[in-house]
Amino acid sequence: MYTWKIKNVNVYNNYDNLTDVVYLVNYFIEYDEPGVGGSTLDDKQEVSTSDLSNFTPFDDLTESVVIGWVKDALGTDGVTQKETEAKNILNTSVKTL
């Protein structure tokens, strides 16, 4: 099971006569496989600021809206790739010599 979460966002304080315009989303994907364990993939995604005609004020943003922006920017194949990367972390480890 995959869970997408937003860590934080980077904003332009003032952009095109608007305030707090999101341009970069820092997110993570948690993957949990019952009986095996879980993993987390940290990543970031730029979001387009080229068309702000449907601008949502920062205080009105929700995590689900911003996750939607990230997934739209990645596209279907990109979402699948990121989820696969999160899952594949389970098959890796870090060892000290």
Side-chain angles (χ1 to χ4, degrees), residues 54-78:
N54 291 318
F55 179 75
T56 303
F58 186 83
D59 289 340
D60 294 341
L61 292 177
T62 63
E63 186 171 52
S64 64
V65 165
V66 177
I67 289 169
W69 293 350
V70 170
K71 289 182 174 183
D72 286 347
L74 289 169
T76 303
D77 291 342

Side-chain angles (χ1 to χ4, degrees), residues 21-83:
V21 176
V22 175
Y23 68 90
L24 183 71
V25 178
N26 299 291
Y27 68 95
F28 62 96
I29 303 168
E30 294 177 328
Y31 173 73
D32 182 45
E33 188 171 325
V36 176
S39 59
T40 303
L41 173 72
D42 286 300
D43 212 338
K44 59 188 169 190
Q45 178 64 49
E46 289 184 16
V47 292
S48 177
T49 56
S50 63
D51 179 8
L52 298 174
S53 59
N54 291 318
F55 179 75
T56 303
F58 186 83
D59 289 340
D60 294 341
L61 292 177
T62 63
E63 186 171 52
S64 64
V65 165
V66 177
I67 289 169
W69 293 350
V70 170
K71 289 182 174 183
D72 286 347
L74 289 169
T76 303
D77 291 342
V79 169
T80 300
Q81 177 185 350
K82 293 298 180 185
E83 289 181 344

